[in-house]
Every structure is written in C-alpha cells, then in structure tokens.
Amino acid sequence: MNKQDKLSVVVVGAGIIGASIAYHLSLRRNITVTVLERDEPGSGASDHSFAWLNSFGKDPRSYHHFNRRSMELWHRFAHNLEADVGFHCGGELRWENTAEGAEALQQRIRQLQAWGYLCRLITIDELRRLEPGLSPDLVTAASLSEADGQVDPSKVIDACLKRACERGATVHSQTPVTGLCLGKKRIEAVKTPKTEINCDMVVLASGVNTTELAAMAGVDIPQQESPGIVIRTDPRPPVLHTISALHAPAIDANRAGIHLRQCTDGTLRIGQGTQQSLNQDDSQEHANDLLNRATHYLPTLAGARAIPVPVGYRPMPLDGLPVLGFSEAAPNLYIALMHSGVTLAPLAGELVTLEIADGACVETLQPYRPERFCRR
Ligand SMILES: Cc1cc2nc3c(=O)[nH]c(=O)nc-3n(C[C@H](O)[C@H](O)[C@H](O)COP(=O)(O)OP(=O)(O)OC[C@H]3O[C@@H](n4cnc5c(N)ncnc54)[C@H](O)[C@@H]3O)c2cc1C
C-alpha cells in the first residue's frame, strides 16, 4: 500500500477490457488506478471488433451463461458511462438457405431455448416485417435472438477512461510496459522505456500481448492465433431498421456467408463467416467482395464504398475460454484475457474489481483461472 493507504493498481492495456477494469476500479475510493497503453487507447483488437453483444455460439452452457450475464449488464454499464457509446439492443437476425443449414439452425435454437436464451425461429413474413429492405432469396429457416445488441468499442473505451480520470485515475498513452520488476514472488514495479512505476498490483489486459508480458513473471498463458477482418463502409442512410446484427448465408459454394451491422454514424461493419472465422485478406478487392455480398441481400447498399481495414488479432486463449484471475507464480499479477471481450467488458470489469478491491474469490470465475494452463 502507498502512503495514503490506497492500493495502487497498474492496468496494462487500454482496450475495452482494460478500460472497463480501470473504470470499475476507479469507483472505489481506496484504489489508485494507472493505465499504461503502448499505443493509443482502443488500438488493439477492440478497434477491429464486429462488436456484436451476444451469447449465440457460446459453449459450454456455463460459458454461455457467463456471456448472458454480461449482456444483461450492458444496459446499466452504458447508462452509467453517461455517454453515447453506440449501444443498441435490437436483436440479431439470421437465416439459412440450405436444408443442412436449416437443420443446424433449428438444433441450435432448440439448445439455446433450453438454456433460456431469448431466441426463436421466425417465418419469412416476420423476417420481411422486421427488415423490409432485405432481399433474402431462398429461406429454409430463420431466427431472431431478441436480446442481442451492439456497441461502438472506441466510444466505450473513451467513456470508461474519461470517467476513470474524473475519479483520479491516470492514463498514459504511448507508454509500453517493457518489463516487470520482481521481488519475492511479487511484482514491485512495472518498467516503461522512461521510468519504473511502483505498484501493489498489476492487471494484464494487454490482449494478444498478454502472453509475452505474463511470461516475464513466469506465468504461462498460451494463446492461439486468430486473425479476423471486419471492413467498414462510408456512412449510409439506415439500411437496417430494427435489428442490431445480421447473419446472412453464402450466396454460392465459393464464398462464405457474411455478418453485418450498421453503426449509429451510418457506417457499416461487414465480416465473413462466423464470429471466429479466420481471415487475413485486408485487400480492397476482398472488401469490395464483402460489400457485394451484403448488397446482394440489401440492395439499398448499392453505391456504398467499401473501406478495407487491416487484419485484427483476437485475444484468444488456447481453449477459447476467458482467463481471469491472480496467478500463483506472481500473486499480485491479475490476468484478464478473453475473446468476446466486447460482450464481456461489463462483467469482467465488475468481477475483477470484486477480486482486486475486496479480496473476494468469485466462484463464477473458477473455470477461467490462469492455473488451468499449468496442468498442461
Ligand atoms: C475481427 C474481430 C471480430 C470480433 N467480433 C467480436 C464480436 O462480435 N463480439 C465480441 O464480444 N467480441 C468480438 N471480438 C473480440 C473482442 O474484440 C476482443 O475480445 C476485445 O476487443 C478484447 O479487448 P482487450 O481490451 O482484451 O484487448 P485489446 O483491444 O487488444 O487491447 C489490448 C491493449 O493492450 C495494449 N498493449 C499490448 N501490449 C502492451 C504493453 N506491453 N504495454 C502497454 N500496452 C500494451 C494494446 O496496444 C491494446 O490497446 C472480435 C475481435 C476481432 C479481432
């Protein structure tokens, strides 16, 4: 503890997870928060995200419920940030155009309903009523997941850091953490190119770089490489009127289906395949192709401009599940690494704060402890 008996916590990384943790920690009077960001806040995976708030494809059931709980927190989180963070909860619409696709969708909806997820199969008439601008061709099955939503991660990050700074936190951009000063099984300070910063605790919310930083303290956090592409368009008049996110099937055997959403500024985000699909093609041609596929189903997009975005790398723990908790090798080092971090940001912020500020041991986090990788 420092002179004022305040716990000083350094958060490494200002993506949506680090920003949410910093914001939630800053709500506690007994904590001093310092955020160190290598580049600019939001320049990692959060800036490349499709940012669909969902628990559609999340397995097993415990992980599905974990995401569900965070989805439910988004209303309060967005409200408390007192800023426009692009939060819209209009649901997710999808359809299939093959018999196999219909079978898989019907099965998934049955499973999700058994878990109590607010989703259902819908008729083609309902699909048309929800989104009159859609021209879906053949529909073999369609569904609506009513509780799904979307946000603008960069606005969330800005709002979190603004609120945290109002409560005394400090944020240093262009400040990479280059080393950890280890005492007796504890981290005493973090090193940056210019200085060393003393601290009581360190939170690694450094996305894909978490692995190399954790290794400096002897903690093994393996990840798999998971590149993805979500392109943008120029601002368009509303093409979607109700829903937050759309998944459309493949038009032909050679090209995967797409997912698409429209942001509050009118620009669109378009990716291909599922939320986990691997893709590294950041060319203008590929961006044009994604937009063409979207225009096939949403003809009012004709004339839109496709803006390619460099490949983004999802923070992706080896088993696909979040890593949240203190590490045995360095007990004042807290790891916060996860895919679906946009969905999970409010819950991660709240639970990490309970563990750091109150010394709680949150049972819900037991499946996600870093130690599971020591047993490999
Ligand atoms: C293509 C794609 C689509 C996605 N779609 C969705 C989706 O639809 N829904 C969803 O919920 N999630 C989605 N995700 C996942 C989600 O975006 C991420 O889980 C989330 O953004 C992770 O946030 P983060 O703060 O942990 O990491 P990041 O946003 O990567 O932030 C980490 C920060 O740490 C900084 N940093 C790294 N090393 C250091 C260092 N040494 N010193 C200081 N700072 C450092 C980086 O510069 C970066 O700003 C998607 C991701 C991608 C890439």
Side-chain angles (χ1 to χ4, degrees):
M1 294 261 190
N2 64 20
K3 282 183 221 132
Q4 297 84 36
D5 281 341
K6 282 191 159 194
L7 191 74
S8 74
V9 180
V10 167
V11 178
V12 185
I16 198 162
I17 294 299
S20 173
I21 292 171
Y23 162 71
H24 283 94
L25 285 173
S26 74
L27 299 175
R28 302 302 191 92
R29 287 183 187 280
N30 61 333
I31 294 189
T32 311
V33 183
T34 306
V35 181
L36 304 178
E37 165 54 47
R38 182 181 61 180
D39 300 317
E40 293 300 322
S43 50
S46 303
D47 192 40
H48 296 262
S49 188
F50 183 56
W52 165 38
L53 309 177
N54 80 99
S55 193
F56 190 91
K58 316 286 172 76
D59 290 298
R61 185 176 60 171
S62 53
Y63 179 53
H64 167 81
H65 281 293
F66 193 67
N67 281 267
R68 283 262 295 279
R69 206 176 137 194
S70 197
M71 287 168 69
E72 285 156 15
L73 292 180
W74 256 106
H75 292 267
R76 174 155 56 88
F77 184 44
H79 173 78
N80 288 347
L81 288 175
E82 294 174 23
D84 168 17
V85 293
F87 176 62
H88 172 59
C89 208
E92 183 259 6
L93 176 67
R94 65 175 61 208
W95 77 95
E96 296 292 343
N97 57 9
T98 62
E100 307 80 60
E103 172 67 29
L105 181 58
Q106 285 154 358
Q107 208 177 325
R108 186 64 190 166
I109 294 295
R110 265 197 301 276
Q111 175 67 84
L112 291 171
Q113 288 184 331
W115 288 347
Y117 199 49
L118 197 58
C119 63
R120 61 191 165 86
L121 295 169
I122 57 171
T123 62
I124 183 157
D125 286 344
E126 192 169 1
L127 181 149
R128 289 214 168 95
R129 265 199 309 278
L130 282 164
E131 291 301 340
L134 265 179
S135 172
D137 298 342
L138 178 66
V139 177
T140 52
S143 71
L144 175 68
S145 300
E146 289 175 61
D148 293 14
Q150 62 176 333
V151 287
D152 180 336
S154 59
K155 289 183 178 170
V156 176
I157 292 166
D158 287 350
C160 282
L161 297 180
K162 183 165 180 267
R163 295 281 163 248
C165 289
E166 285 166 3
R167 291 172 174 82
T170 26
V171 179
H172 300 277
S173 299
Q174 303 294 334
T175 307
V177 169
T178 51
L180 304 172
C181 304
L182 299 169
K184 281 186 189 157
K185 274 195 92 181
R186 290 185 69 78
I187 296 166
E188 293 178 346
V190 296
K191 291 182 197 171
T192 72
K194 289 195 183 142
T195 185
E196 288 183 6
I197 300 172
N198 293 332
C199 56
D200 299 308
M201 281 189 197
V202 178
V203 179
L204 290 186
S206 329
V208 291
N209 299 98
T210 300
T211 301
E212 69 199 44
L213 289 165
M216 293 176 188
V219 181
D220 183 21
I221 306 292
Q223 291 190 59
Q224 46 182 305
E225 197 174 272
S226 184
I229 297 276
V230 177
I231 66 137
R232 302 177 181 205
T233 69
D234 54 344
R236 310 298 302 170
V239 291
L240 295 175
H241 295 271
T242 315
I243 60 159
S244 292
L246 178 78
H247 280 76
I251 297 168
D252 54 54
N254 302 321
R255 291 176 300 171
I258 52 159
H259 44 275
L260 171 153
R261 71 179 180 92
Q262 188 164 28
C263 305
T264 44
D265 64 2
T267 61
L268 283 98
R269 303 286 181 273
I270 310 171
Q272 81 171 11
T274 70
Q275 215 191 344
Q276 270 96 353
S277 294
L278 305 184
N279 187 0
Q280 303 203 62
D281 187 349
D282 57 5
S283 64
Q284 181 69 57
E285 292 69 32
H286 182 61
N288 292 343
D289 183 40
L290 284 174
L291 177 58
N292 284 341
R293 284 183 246 175
T295 309
H296 177 87
Y297 291 126
L298 283 161
T300 51
L301 275 176
R305 188 163 58 87
I307 303 167
V309 173
V311 61
Y313 290 88
R314 302 176 183 92
M316 189 64 83
L318 201 56
D319 57 8
L321 298 174
V323 187
L324 282 158
F326 289 107
S327 53
E328 271 169 25
N332 64 339
L333 180 68
Y334 198 103
I335 311 289
L337 172 73
M338 68 210 76
H339 177 53
S340 281
V342 179
T343 303
L344 292 172
L347 185 61
E350 284 196 2
L351 299 187
V352 171
T353 298
L354 288 180
E355 297 209 310
I356 289 180
D358 301 320
C361 181
V362 178
E363 284 178 22
T364 323
L365 294 179
Q366 287 314 318
Y368 310 125
R369 297 307 190 192
E371 267 55 56
R372 68 185 190 270
F373 298 115
C374 300
R375 298 187 289 270
R376 283 192 301 155

